[in-house]
Amino acid sequence: MVQIDAKILVNEGIGPQRHKMALYAPQIGRQAKPGQFIHVRVSNNFPPLLRRPFSIHRVEGQKIEILYKVVGKGTEILSEKKRGEYLDILGPLGKGYRLPSATSKISDIILVAGGTGVASLLFLAEAISVANAELSILVLIGAKNREELLCEEDFRRLGCRVEVATENGSRGYKGLASDLLENYLPLSEDRPKPAVFACGPSEMLKRIGKISRKHRFPCQVSLEERLACGVGACLGCVVKAKGSSYTYKRVCKDGPVFDAGELIW
Amino acid sequence: MMQKAKDKPPNLGIELAGISLKNPVMVASGTFGYGEEYAELVDLNRLGAIVAKTITLKPRLGNEPPRIVETASGVLNSIGLQNVGIDAFINEKLPFFREYDVPLIVSIAGDTIDEYVQLAKTLKGEEISGLELNLSCPNIKYGRKFMFAQDPKTTHQVVSRVRKATSLPLMVKLSPNVTDISSIARVCEEAGADGVSLINTFTGMAIDIESRKPILRQITGGLSGPAIKPIALRMVYEVHRAVKIPIIGIGGIMTAGDALEFIIAGAEAVAIGTGNFVDPLTPIKVIDGIREYMIRNKIKDIKSMVGSLQCRKS
Ligand SMILES: Cc1cc2nc3c(=O)[nH]c(=O)nc-3n(C[C@H](O)[C@H](O)[C@H](O)COP(=O)(O)OP(=O)(O)OC[C@H]3O[C@@H](n4cnc5c(N)ncnc54)[C@H](O)[C@@H]3O)c2cc1C
Ligand SMILES: Cc1cc2nc3c(=O)[nH]c(=O)nc-3n(C[C@H](O)[C@H](O)[C@H](O)COP(=O)(O)O)c2cc1C
Ligand code: FES
């Protein structure tokens, strides 16, 4: 974990209200694992006062990328940043996805991405294909409409199979990414189970958590909560998890990636 | 202007209620965890002191989320004193501090006066520099509605009972949710407190107008950050005129200038809370900024700044 002033190398629109930013951050890139995030101070003045968290989307040599959607003041300011400016960032933070081991008994990998959830899953797909080229990766991407669909080609280029769902049916299946997952199941009992990794809106994750419980396959989900410190100190970002009765876990430190089975939705 | 080689560097060190601090800049309870969370980012040895997250007798799970929301230049929180409990604190968290040369002040809270006393007794003999009583908790004897710090009589009782139970330096952290904070501070002084920390957060709320629901699950929460600084400063100014024991100024400190305002108003030391979230290096930048200010203004000793407010004559 380091705090650095990172130079902005690229900050460009890639869709409606969607942007990609590349930062020169070799110290963070070297340590980063898929599912981890950076905590960005978007402005030296306030508001916005608190930092804003973004998943690490890609690491390429000395640079890291994030992919973000403008939803409020902080992301709007971020979208107006110019190449050559510097951003105060902390990272890499949090616990990322646990990669399937080469010996694990799984049939294949399914990644389910909703909206900007593709951001961390592309990094994961890259890491899995480097670590274990044998595994086949199926990516299910959900978006509101075809314009808001992100990263389809990037996944294909990695050799993943990609299926798309849009809510208005303007591309692929008409419906939700979680529907695609359900259509793919149930699997016969004797087949090894897939390992599922999901990132997206909390409603989608909840649904996928339920499906994973029903069909009993391992499932990791990446959660979003409002963060303050981002480093585990303030206890502001907790989610309910199983314990002797229950316990609270910090999204920023114990997560953002959790086993769906350990959460109490 | 060049500093002459023979000029001594300004002295930022202070004695706070019997604790020696390298400088008057501390980190506030609940915003710096148990120290370890920030150790990779901040040189803890440079801090004046660390006030750990408030500890209770039993571990507490804390409140249901959402617990935090940003408001105009501030943060509302309702963490609900989630903490590991005194036993785990002593066994698992305290050993970490042995590696560091920084005073540790332990913040404690209870549901009853007896619990405060028991906590103080349990901490006897541990390697800590002082205690801070967090009185912004409801006294269950009077139902969930009133904090200890809102009633002068209960404040007197809890402070004097803990005073008898410990010889450690004893700070009392005050709530700003009172009509006259000076009278509460005076009560603390009478009851034997060695210092007062002010302030804790202001009760506030935020509403999502689309769903018409409160954003925090607990409906209300405590407001911190730059939004509260002017009120915190006014309270330090008032309390400084009311008591002789040292004051730790807290509330919205983001820069050395903010910290100096508190010191000029009468605070012997300051603590940084929300500022840590915005920039973990805030305390370090504040220390460096105070030093630069002192060099620029040829101030040899930080103590000469305390309460040095120059009011206009009427
Ligand atoms: C670990 C982590 C990784 C993330 N990765 C990405 C990413 O890769 N790409 C991306 O685009 N976004 C990501 N996010 C979300 C992103 O951090 C937020 O969208 C951003 O902070 C919004 O800032 P803002 O100032 O623009 O919006 P704000 O002005 O803060 O909020 C805009 C609106 O959204 C609401 N809102 C904000 N946060 C929440 C929340 N947690 N729950 C419910 N409502 C909320 C606000 O109330 C408001 O109505 C991630 C979040 C987390 C926790
Ligand atoms: C997330 C959060 C948790 C806090 N927890 C505690 C606590 O456990 N005990 C305590 O005495 N004060 C607690 N506080 C209050 C701070 O110590 C401080 O008094 C207050 O935030 C005002 O200072 P600031 O504006 O610099 O943050 C907490 C504040 C925040 C924001
Ligand atoms: S944001 Fe502070 S603990 Fe997670």
Side-chain angles (χ1 to χ4, degrees):
Chain A
M1 188 202 326
V2 291
Q3 179 177 7
I4 55 168
D5 282 322
K7 192 175 190 172
I8 299 172
L9 304 172
V10 180
N11 189 24
E12 61 184 18
I14 53 164
Q17 300 300 309
R18 276 137 181 95
H19 300 259
K20 192 193 268 191
M21 180 181 275
L23 294 158
Y24 181 79
Q27 310 92 315
I28 293 179
R30 263 197 304 277
Q31 303 172 20
K33 301 205 172 55
Q36 289 190 303
F37 67 96
I38 58 171
H39 213 18
V40 180
R41 188 165 182 195
V42 296
S43 164
N44 287 333
N45 301 312
F46 34 80
L49 180 65
L50 297 173
R51 289 170 182 266
R52 298 293 191 257
F54 300 97
S55 302
I56 298 169
H57 175 48
R58 285 185 100 164
V59 176
E60 216 184 296
Q62 314 268 32
K63 56 177 206 190
I64 61 170
E65 285 180 7
I66 58 172
L67 197 137
Y68 62 96
K69 177 181 167 190
V70 175
V71 296
K73 187 89 190 148
T75 42
E76 188 188 324
I77 293 173
L78 201 61
S79 71
E80 287 157 3
K81 299 273 174 197
K82 302 268 176 307
R83 204 175 76 191
E85 287 182 56
Y86 285 81
L87 269 188
D88 169 358
I89 63 176
L90 287 177
L93 301 179
K95 216 172 97 232
Y97 300 101
R98 271 167 297 104
L99 265 58
S101 69
T103 55
S104 55
K105 278 210 196 71
I106 46 173
S107 57
D108 44 22
I109 306 281
I110 306 180
L111 311 183
V112 193
T116 49
V118 290
S120 67
L121 291 175
L122 185 69
F123 188 11
L124 177 66
E126 281 180 355
I128 293 174
S129 48
V130 168
N132 192 343
E134 310 283 278
L135 281 172
S136 82
I137 305 175
L138 169 64
V139 187
L140 311 174
I141 310 179
K144 276 215 175 61
N145 52 52
R146 63 182 304 159
E147 290 76 30
E148 296 190 0
L149 194 64
L150 296 171
C151 295
E152 192 185 344
E153 278 316 305
D154 298 302
F155 282 110
R156 285 195 209 284
R157 227 171 289 135
L158 285 174
C160 308
R161 272 189 302 140
V162 182
E163 286 180 36
V164 170
T166 53
E167 284 173 38
N168 67 357
S170 55
R171 197 70 231 281
Y173 174 85
K174 182 169 190 295
L176 306 171
S178 53
D179 298 342
L180 289 177
L181 179 65
E182 247 179 331
N183 295 348
Y184 181 83
L185 304 161
L187 302 161
S188 59
E189 277 301 317
D190 48 351
R191 256 191 75 183
K193 310 266 184 200
V196 172
F197 300 82
C199 184
S202 60
E203 281 311 310
M204 176 189 111
L205 299 180
K206 252 181 228 175
R207 214 165 291 141
I208 291 169
K210 249 192 217 141
I211 301 171
S212 76
R213 219 171 23 249
K214 186 167 150 213
H215 296 280
R216 278 178 285 156
F217 54 78
C219 176
Q220 295 176 39
V221 294
S222 178
L223 301 186
E224 286 186 10
E225 257 297 335
R226 293 168 206 269
L227 304 191
C229 70
V231 299
C234 74
L235 308 176
C237 63
V238 301
V239 288
K240 216 176 216 173
K242 289 175 187 158
S244 53
S245 62
Y246 67 91
T247 177
Y248 286 118
K249 296 212 165 161
R250 298 163 297 183
V251 166
C252 72
K253 186 87 181 181
D254 308 311
V257 177
F258 294 92
D259 274 321
E262 69 181 302
L263 299 171
I264 303 176
W265 300 94
Chain B
M1 205 187 332
M2 283 276 288
Q3 205 196 343
K4 280 189 227 122
K6 67 176 198 306
D7 285 352
K8 282 217 306 222
N11 177 22
L12 271 78
I14 59 162
E15 286 285 321
L16 181 79
I19 313 169
S20 297
L21 310 192
K22 287 178 208 121
N23 61 66
V25 182
M26 341 202 309
V27 287
S29 179
T31 63
F32 212 72
Y34 300 114
E36 57 199 11
E37 292 84 351
Y38 278 107
E40 263 183 76
L41 297 169
V42 182
D43 181 358
L44 304 186
N45 288 334
R46 288 204 56 197
L47 302 173
I50 293 175
V51 188
K53 170 78 185 163
T54 299
I55 295 292
T56 53
L57 270 182
K58 296 263 145 50
R60 285 206 195 174
L61 290 169
N63 292 333
E64 293 251 335
R67 292 178 173 184
I68 217 152
V69 60
E70 181 170 336
T71 58
S73 297
V75 174
L76 278 171
N77 87 80
S78 69
I79 309 298
L81 288 190
Q82 177 177 344
N83 77 92
V84 297
I86 187 72
D87 293 338
F89 175 74
I90 290 173
N91 295 328
E92 293 160 27
K93 305 295 176 184
L94 265 188
F96 168 82
F97 286 97
R98 290 201 195 111
E99 312 291 314
Y100 293 92
D101 173 31
V102 57
L104 173 68
I105 295 171
V106 177
S107 167
I108 57 175
D111 284 333
T112 62
I113 294 178
D114 285 342
E115 287 189 9
Y116 280 95
V117 172
Q118 209 179 325
L119 281 159
K121 285 185 175 159
T122 312
L123 283 161
K124 247 187 203 166
E126 297 297 338
E127 285 175 61
I128 63 174
S129 299
L131 290 182
E132 184 176 84
L133 302 186
N134 174 1
L135 297 186
S136 296
C137 317
N139 179 351
I140 55 167
K141 202 170 137 201
Y142 300 116
R144 288 260 144 222
K145 262 194 114 132
F146 294 100
M147 301 173 186
F148 282 91
Q150 285 172 321
D151 176 33
K153 236 173 83 193
T154 343
T155 300
H156 192 281
Q157 284 169 352
V158 65
V159 176
S160 52
R161 294 241 350 249
V162 173
R163 175 72 292 169
K164 288 193 194 89
T166 184
S167 53
L168 283 166
L170 180 63
M171 319 290 160
V172 183
K173 179 133 173 213
L174 303 184
S175 165
N177 300 301
V178 293
T179 32
D180 180 15
I181 197 162
S182 304
S183 61
I184 307 273
R186 232 177 277 127
V187 164
C188 295
E189 183 173 43
E190 283 161 19
D194 296 311
V196 279
S197 307
L198 48 137
I199 52 178
N200 214 313
T201 53
F202 284 87
T203 308
M205 68 187 288
I207 297 172
D208 177 345
I209 57 168
E210 299 305 327
S211 64
R212 303 195 194 181
K213 287 188 179 141
I215 294 182
L216 296 178
R217 182 62 182 259
Q218 301 300 310
I219 304 176
T220 61
L223 182 64
S224 65
I228 68 169
K229 197 197 91 184
I231 319 179
L233 192 58
R234 184 265 295 173
M235 289 182 160
V236 167
Y237 162 72
E238 285 178 1
V239 169
H240 177 62
R241 294 169 13 141
V243 301
K244 299 216 163 51
I245 51 176
I247 299 167
I248 300 166
I250 316 169
I253 298 173
M254 306 293 290
T255 64
D258 295 336
L260 285 161
E261 282 191 71
F262 276 88
I263 292 170
I264 293 167
E268 219 129 311
V270 295
I272 286 154
T274 304
N276 296 309
F277 307 157
V278 177
D279 181 357
L281 290 179
T282 301
I284 304 297
K285 289 176 180 168
V286 168
I287 296 164
D288 291 342
I290 292 176
R291 183 178 293 108
E292 279 161 31
Y293 172 92
M294 290 172 70
I295 293 171
R296 184 156 39 86
N297 290 285
K298 299 203 171 61
I299 295 160
K300 294 202 180 63
D301 198 321
I302 188 76
K303 289 186 275 295
S304 67
M305 295 278 300
V306 177
S308 60
L309 184 71
Q310 309 281 312
C311 285
R312 288 178 194 85
K313 305 221 167 55
S314 53

